[in-house]
Amino acid sequence: MLKTPQSREFWLLACVALLVIGTGLGLRAPWPADEPRFVLVAKQMWESGDWWFPHRGQELYSDKPPLYFWLLGMSYALVRDWTVAFLLPSLLAALGTLWLTFDLARRLWGHRAGLWAAAAVLCTFQFVYQAKRAQIDPTVVFFITLGFYGLARHLLLGPHWRWFWAGCFAAGLGVISKGVGFLALFALLPYAWMRWRGWQGLSVPAPRGAGRWALGGVAFLVAIGLWLGPMLWMALSDGDPAHRAYVDDLLVRQTATRYAESWHHNQPFWYFARVVAVSWLPFSLLLPWLFKPWREAWRARDARVWWPLASCVLVLLFFSLSSGKRDMYILPALPMLALAAAPFLPDLLERRGVRRALFALSLLLGLGLLAAGVAALVAEPGFELKLEAGRGMADGQDGLWWALAAMGSAITAAALWLQPQRAVTLTATMSAVLWCGWGLAIAPQLDGESSARDLMREVRELVGPQAEVGLVAWREQNLLQARGPTVEFGFKRTPVQQWNAAVAWASAAPGARRLFVREVPALANCLQRARAQPVGVANRRTWRLVSAPDIPADCRALPEAADAAVEPDPDA
């Protein structure tokens, strides 16, 4: 593997990627917003053996297709430790995305361009942040990139019908992971236009044969059918109305309705411009210098540059047209953008202005981390007080601030030593320090509170090993981290509905049952009058324990209209 300089460069990049993304694996539990939910669903699948209809607690979970949960279950089957298993799919998907980016750029423009394209993706803040989390996005980015790779092998480097069919199949797998896997097929639109206009860089001869093109659609549908066919057959034949409702919600409300009339995460049309500018640093710093070579590539009708760039624009446009937006939605466009930039990166990184911009970013980040850490250690700035209050951190818990100061010192020292002349090495150093520091020092210190592990341990210590605990207005991390006998009363039900059911349950055995309740406006008065025992603050929420005999009579069956004052969800 290491016989040639090119192979050594590739494996060096692979080792750096594994270090940056994999550091911290097994050192923390799932955190909100999405991680506890997905791990809870996968854990219940594993324990129940029901792999077709996901559950969150006692309710069916219809927000997402199940492929990602299957991958989590496969990871657990491999390592038998959820603390390690829950991050494996994201790690492997991110490494796979980097390899696909490298290999496609290498085939189009050579080995060095492939290395720079993969390095551009690896250095992007949002890519690494998502790769170190157990969200579906790294997995769907891999499938979309694999679909795009298969199409490129056929449309630019082919004809290669097997790769075309494989790309369409990968897009279908992306659909059953998060629904938007079909975005890879958007690349067919600029290809058709470029072929019609006679652009350079497309496959020669042009792929022909309507039947073989149609097989791409068949491959796409076959991949979706691996899950959709058996699931629909079971849901429509077993007579269970809950399964019918699951199908309707998943296939209609959570897809078309959510895109066309989103009910949360509403943002303006230009929202993703800010995401690219900030979350895609340091790669986004290069964009002003890329406009000129991209303009020249347009004039030269170079499809190798503009086909991935046009596909990137289509992905951005697709998500911008929906009112519901989250920053990670556009991550599938990042490998496409890196491919469009790949042939120009070697020369671009030699320019003085580019090196100065990268140097300035690293120095500012290092000084910012150092200043924040020192300020929190020697004084009590507002951001420290806010974080400690919201996270329930004990006074004098300074390990977090020492870690920030150490990371900032390391990045600042590297910047002063390497100077702008070696800004590329400095950028790699900055990324390694930032993400290794996060995985080894920051995340483990925040884990007890962020995962609700400490909170649920405290609950069990307060109620004793045999008592049953009923969860009211709970979040997924509470059920996932619960110890001992635990009962919940539905997740989608309102806090008042859960409270009424929980009070009746606790009253049936008041000596052996306690209620663990999130403090929400609809329940605040009853909790205060019941002298509910404070447990602590976790995930920006206050939690209390209450016994049935302490609940006032007029609080045992609250009117559901009280739910009108429910607080906004901090995890949303």
Short mmCIF file of all heavy atoms in Angstrom, two decimals, residues 209-245:
data_model
loop_
_atom_site.label_atom_id
_atom_site.label_comp_id
_atom_site.label_asym_id
_atom_site.label_seq_id
_atom_site.Cartn_x
_atom_site.Cartn_y
_atom_site.Cartn_z
N GLY A 209 -29.57 4.03 -25.86
CA GLY A 209 -30.39 2.86 -25.54
C GLY A 209 -31.44 3.18 -24.50
O GLY A 209 -31.14 3.25 -23.31
N ALA A 210 -32.67 3.43 -24.94
CA ALA A 210 -33.73 3.83 -24.01
C ALA A 210 -33.96 2.78 -22.94
O ALA A 210 -34.22 3.10 -21.78
CB ALA A 210 -35.04 4.08 -24.78
N GLY A 211 -33.84 1.50 -23.32
CA GLY A 211 -34.06 0.44 -22.35
C GLY A 211 -33.03 0.46 -21.24
O GLY A 211 -33.37 0.29 -20.05
N ARG A 212 -31.78 0.71 -21.56
CA ARG A 212 -30.74 0.75 -20.53
C ARG A 212 -30.88 1.98 -19.64
O ARG A 212 -30.60 1.92 -18.44
CB ARG A 212 -29.36 0.68 -21.18
CG ARG A 212 -29.07 -0.71 -21.74
CD ARG A 212 -27.65 -0.83 -22.26
NE ARG A 212 -27.45 -0.09 -23.51
CZ ARG A 212 -26.32 -0.13 -24.23
NH1 ARG A 212 -25.29 -0.86 -23.80
NH2 ARG A 212 -26.22 0.54 -25.35
N TRP A 213 -31.29 3.11 -20.25
CA TRP A 213 -31.59 4.27 -19.41
C TRP A 213 -32.74 3.97 -18.45
O TRP A 213 -32.69 4.33 -17.27
CB TRP A 213 -31.95 5.48 -20.27
CG TRP A 213 -30.79 6.16 -20.92
CD1 TRP A 213 -30.45 6.12 -22.24
CD2 TRP A 213 -29.81 7.01 -20.30
NE1 TRP A 213 -29.32 6.87 -22.48
CE2 TRP A 213 -28.90 7.44 -21.30
CE3 TRP A 213 -29.61 7.45 -18.99
CZ2 TRP A 213 -27.83 8.28 -21.05
CZ3 TRP A 213 -28.54 8.30 -18.72
CH2 TRP A 213 -27.66 8.70 -19.73
N ALA A 214 -33.77 3.29 -18.95
CA ALA A 214 -34.92 2.98 -18.10
C ALA A 214 -34.56 2.04 -16.96
O ALA A 214 -35.17 2.10 -15.88
CB ALA A 214 -36.03 2.36 -18.96
N LEU A 215 -33.55 1.18 -17.18
CA LEU A 215 -33.13 0.29 -16.10
C LEU A 215 -32.59 1.06 -14.90
O LEU A 215 -32.59 0.55 -13.78
CB LEU A 215 -32.08 -0.69 -16.61
CG LEU A 215 -32.58 -1.84 -17.48
CD1 LEU A 215 -31.42 -2.69 -17.97
CD2 LEU A 215 -33.57 -2.70 -16.69
N GLY A 216 -32.11 2.29 -15.14
CA GLY A 216 -31.71 3.12 -14.01
C GLY A 216 -32.88 3.43 -13.10
O GLY A 216 -32.76 3.37 -11.87
N GLY A 217 -34.02 3.75 -13.70
CA GLY A 217 -35.23 3.97 -12.90
C GLY A 217 -35.65 2.71 -12.17
O GLY A 217 -36.11 2.77 -11.02
N VAL A 218 -35.49 1.56 -12.83
CA VAL A 218 -35.83 0.28 -12.18
C VAL A 218 -34.92 0.05 -10.97
O VAL A 218 -35.38 -0.34 -9.90
CB VAL A 218 -35.71 -0.87 -13.19
CG1 VAL A 218 -35.88 -2.21 -12.49
CG2 VAL A 218 -36.75 -0.72 -14.31
N ALA A 219 -33.62 0.30 -11.15
CA ALA A 219 -32.68 0.11 -10.04
C ALA A 219 -33.03 1.03 -8.87
O ALA A 219 -32.95 0.62 -7.70
CB ALA A 219 -31.25 0.38 -10.50
N PHE A 220 -33.41 2.26 -9.16
CA PHE A 220 -33.82 3.21 -8.13
C PHE A 220 -35.03 2.69 -7.36
O PHE A 220 -35.05 2.69 -6.11
CB PHE A 220 -34.12 4.55 -8.80
CG PHE A 220 -34.66 5.61 -7.89
CD1 PHE A 220 -33.84 6.22 -6.95
CD2 PHE A 220 -35.98 6.02 -7.98
CE1 PHE A 220 -34.33 7.22 -6.12
CE2 PHE A 220 -36.48 7.02 -7.16
CZ PHE A 220 -35.65 7.62 -6.22
N LEU A 221 -36.02 2.20 -8.08
CA LEU A 221 -37.25 1.72 -7.44
C LEU A 221 -37.02 0.40 -6.70
O LEU A 221 -37.63 0.15 -5.66
CB LEU A 221 -38.35 1.56 -8.48
CG LEU A 221 -38.83 2.87 -9.14
CD1 LEU A 221 -39.85 2.56 -10.23
CD2 LEU A 221 -39.41 3.82 -8.10
N VAL A 222 -36.12 -0.44 -7.23
CA VAL A 222 -35.82 -1.70 -6.54
C VAL A 222 -35.22 -1.43 -5.17
O VAL A 222 -35.57 -2.07 -4.17
CB VAL A 222 -34.88 -2.57 -7.40
CG1 VAL A 222 -34.27 -3.69 -6.57
CG2 VAL A 222 -35.63 -3.15 -8.58
N ALA A 223 -34.30 -0.46 -5.10
CA ALA A 223 -33.69 -0.13 -3.81
C ALA A 223 -34.74 0.34 -2.80
O ALA A 223 -34.73 -0.08 -1.64
CB ALA A 223 -32.62 0.95 -3.99
N ILE A 224 -35.66 1.20 -3.24
CA ILE A 224 -36.72 1.66 -2.36
C ILE A 224 -37.63 0.50 -1.98
O ILE A 224 -38.07 0.36 -0.84
CB ILE A 224 -37.53 2.79 -3.03
CG1 ILE A 224 -36.62 3.98 -3.33
CG2 ILE A 224 -38.70 3.21 -2.17
CD1 ILE A 224 -37.29 5.08 -4.13
N GLY A 225 -37.90 -0.37 -2.95
CA GLY A 225 -38.80 -1.49 -2.72
C GLY A 225 -38.29 -2.52 -1.73
O GLY A 225 -39.08 -3.29 -1.18
N LEU A 226 -36.99 -2.56 -1.51
CA LEU A 226 -36.45 -3.50 -0.52
C LEU A 226 -37.08 -3.29 0.84
O LEU A 226 -37.26 -4.24 1.61
CB LEU A 226 -34.93 -3.34 -0.42
CG LEU A 226 -34.11 -3.73 -1.65
CD1 LEU A 226 -32.64 -3.41 -1.43
CD2 LEU A 226 -34.30 -5.22 -1.96
N TRP A 227 -37.40 -2.02 1.14
CA TRP A 227 -38.10 -1.72 2.40
C TRP A 227 -39.59 -1.47 2.17
O TRP A 227 -40.43 -2.03 2.88
CB TRP A 227 -37.49 -0.48 3.05
CG TRP A 227 -38.43 0.21 3.98
CD1 TRP A 227 -38.85 -0.23 5.20
CD2 TRP A 227 -39.11 1.45 3.75
NE1 TRP A 227 -39.73 0.66 5.76
CE2 TRP A 227 -39.91 1.71 4.89
CE3 TRP A 227 -39.11 2.37 2.70
CZ2 TRP A 227 -40.70 2.86 5.00
CZ3 TRP A 227 -39.89 3.52 2.82
CH2 TRP A 227 -40.67 3.75 3.95
N LEU A 228 -39.91 -0.64 1.17
CA LEU A 228 -41.29 -0.18 1.02
C LEU A 228 -42.25 -1.32 0.70
O LEU A 228 -43.36 -1.37 1.24
CB LEU A 228 -41.36 0.88 -0.08
CG LEU A 228 -42.70 1.58 -0.25
CD1 LEU A 228 -43.09 2.32 1.01
CD2 LEU A 228 -42.64 2.55 -1.44
N GLY A 229 -41.82 -2.27 -0.14
CA GLY A 229 -42.71 -3.36 -0.52
C GLY A 229 -43.14 -4.21 0.67
O GLY A 229 -44.35 -4.34 0.95
N PRO A 230 -42.20 -4.81 1.41
CA PRO A 230 -42.61 -5.62 2.57
C PRO A 230 -43.37 -4.81 3.62
O PRO A 230 -44.33 -5.30 4.21
CB PRO A 230 -41.28 -6.13 3.12
CG PRO A 230 -40.35 -6.10 1.96
CD PRO A 230 -40.76 -4.92 1.14
N MET A 231 -42.95 -3.56 3.84
CA MET A 231 -43.62 -2.75 4.86
C MET A 231 -45.07 -2.48 4.48
O MET A 231 -45.98 -2.62 5.31
CB MET A 231 -42.85 -1.44 5.06
CG MET A 231 -43.38 -0.57 6.21
SD MET A 231 -44.78 0.49 5.75
CE MET A 231 -44.00 1.62 4.59
N LEU A 232 -45.31 -2.10 3.22
CA LEU A 232 -46.68 -1.84 2.78
C LEU A 232 -47.53 -3.09 2.85
O LEU A 232 -48.70 -3.05 3.26
CB LEU A 232 -46.67 -1.27 1.36
CG LEU A 232 -46.28 0.21 1.20
CD1 LEU A 232 -46.27 0.58 -0.27
CD2 LEU A 232 -47.24 1.10 1.98
N TRP A 233 -46.94 -4.21 2.46
CA TRP A 233 -47.71 -5.47 2.49
C TRP A 233 -48.14 -5.78 3.92
O TRP A 233 -49.29 -6.14 4.16
CB TRP A 233 -46.87 -6.60 1.91
CG TRP A 233 -47.60 -7.91 1.91
CD1 TRP A 233 -48.53 -8.35 1.01
CD2 TRP A 233 -47.49 -8.95 2.89
NE1 TRP A 233 -48.99 -9.59 1.34
CE2 TRP A 233 -48.37 -9.99 2.51
CE3 TRP A 233 -46.72 -9.11 4.04
CZ2 TRP A 233 -48.50 -11.16 3.24
CZ3 TRP A 233 -46.86 -10.27 4.78
CH2 TRP A 233 -47.74 -11.28 4.38
N MET A 234 -47.23 -5.66 4.86
CA MET A 234 -47.58 -5.95 6.26
C MET A 234 -48.57 -4.94 6.81
O MET A 234 -49.53 -5.29 7.50
CB MET A 234 -46.31 -5.97 7.12
CG MET A 234 -45.42 -7.18 6.88
SD MET A 234 -43.98 -7.23 7.97
CE MET A 234 -42.94 -6.02 7.16
N ALA A 235 -48.36 -3.65 6.50
CA ALA A 235 -49.23 -2.62 7.06
C ALA A 235 -50.65 -2.70 6.52
O ALA A 235 -51.61 -2.44 7.24
CB ALA A 235 -48.64 -1.24 6.75
N LEU A 236 -50.78 -3.07 5.25
CA LEU A 236 -52.11 -3.11 4.63
C LEU A 236 -52.82 -4.44 4.81
O LEU A 236 -54.02 -4.54 4.54
CB LEU A 236 -51.98 -2.79 3.14
CG LEU A 236 -51.40 -1.40 2.80
CD1 LEU A 236 -51.29 -1.21 1.30
CD2 LEU A 236 -52.25 -0.29 3.43
N SER A 237 -52.10 -5.45 5.26
CA SER A 237 -52.73 -6.76 5.37
C SER A 237 -53.00 -7.20 6.80
O SER A 237 -53.80 -8.11 7.02
CB SER A 237 -51.85 -7.83 4.70
OG SER A 237 -50.59 -7.94 5.36
N ASP A 238 -52.35 -6.56 7.78
CA ASP A 238 -52.53 -7.04 9.15
C ASP A 238 -53.72 -6.42 9.87
O ASP A 238 -54.06 -6.79 10.99
CB ASP A 238 -51.26 -6.82 9.98
CG ASP A 238 -50.87 -5.36 10.12
OD1 ASP A 238 -51.67 -4.48 9.76
OD2 ASP A 238 -49.74 -5.09 10.59
N GLY A 239 -54.36 -5.41 9.25
CA GLY A 239 -55.54 -4.81 9.84
C GLY A 239 -55.28 -3.90 11.02
O GLY A 239 -56.23 -3.47 11.68
N ASP A 240 -54.05 -3.58 11.30
CA ASP A 240 -53.72 -2.72 12.43
C ASP A 240 -53.85 -1.26 12.01
O ASP A 240 -53.09 -0.79 11.17
CB ASP A 240 -52.30 -3.01 12.92
CG ASP A 240 -51.96 -2.29 14.21
OD1 ASP A 240 -52.64 -1.30 14.54
OD2 ASP A 240 -51.00 -2.71 14.90
N PRO A 241 -54.80 -0.51 12.60
CA PRO A 241 -54.95 0.89 12.18
C PRO A 241 -53.72 1.74 12.49
O PRO A 241 -53.47 2.74 11.81
CB PRO A 241 -56.17 1.37 12.99
CG PRO A 241 -56.31 0.39 14.12
CD PRO A 241 -55.79 -0.91 13.61
N ALA A 242 -52.95 1.37 13.51
CA ALA A 242 -51.73 2.12 13.82
C ALA A 242 -50.72 2.01 12.68
O ALA A 242 -50.02 2.98 12.36
CB ALA A 242 -51.12 1.62 15.13
N HIS A 243 -50.67 0.84 12.04
CA HIS A 243 -49.76 0.67 10.91
C HIS A 243 -50.24 1.47 9.70
O HIS A 243 -49.43 2.01 8.95
CB HIS A 243 -49.63 -0.81 10.56
CG HIS A 243 -48.83 -1.58 11.57
ND1 HIS A 243 -48.77 -2.96 11.57
CD2 HIS A 243 -48.05 -1.17 12.61
CE1 HIS A 243 -48.00 -3.36 12.56
NE2 HIS A 243 -47.55 -2.28 13.19
N ARG A 244 -51.56 1.54 9.51
CA ARG A 244 -52.09 2.37 8.42
C ARG A 244 -51.74 3.85 8.65
O ARG A 244 -51.33 4.56 7.71
CB ARG A 244 -53.60 2.21 8.32
CG ARG A 244 -54.09 0.81 7.97
CD ARG A 244 -53.82 0.50 6.52
NE ARG A 244 -54.42 -0.76 6.14
CZ ARG A 244 -55.61 -0.90 5.57
NH1 ARG A 244 -56.35 0.18 5.31
NH2 ARG A 244 -56.08 -2.09 5.24
N ALA A 245 -51.89 4.30 9.89
CA ALA A 245 -51.56 5.69 10.21
C ALA A 245 -50.07 5.94 10.04
O ALA A 245 -49.66 7.02 9.60
CB ALA A 245 -51.99 6.00 11.65
#
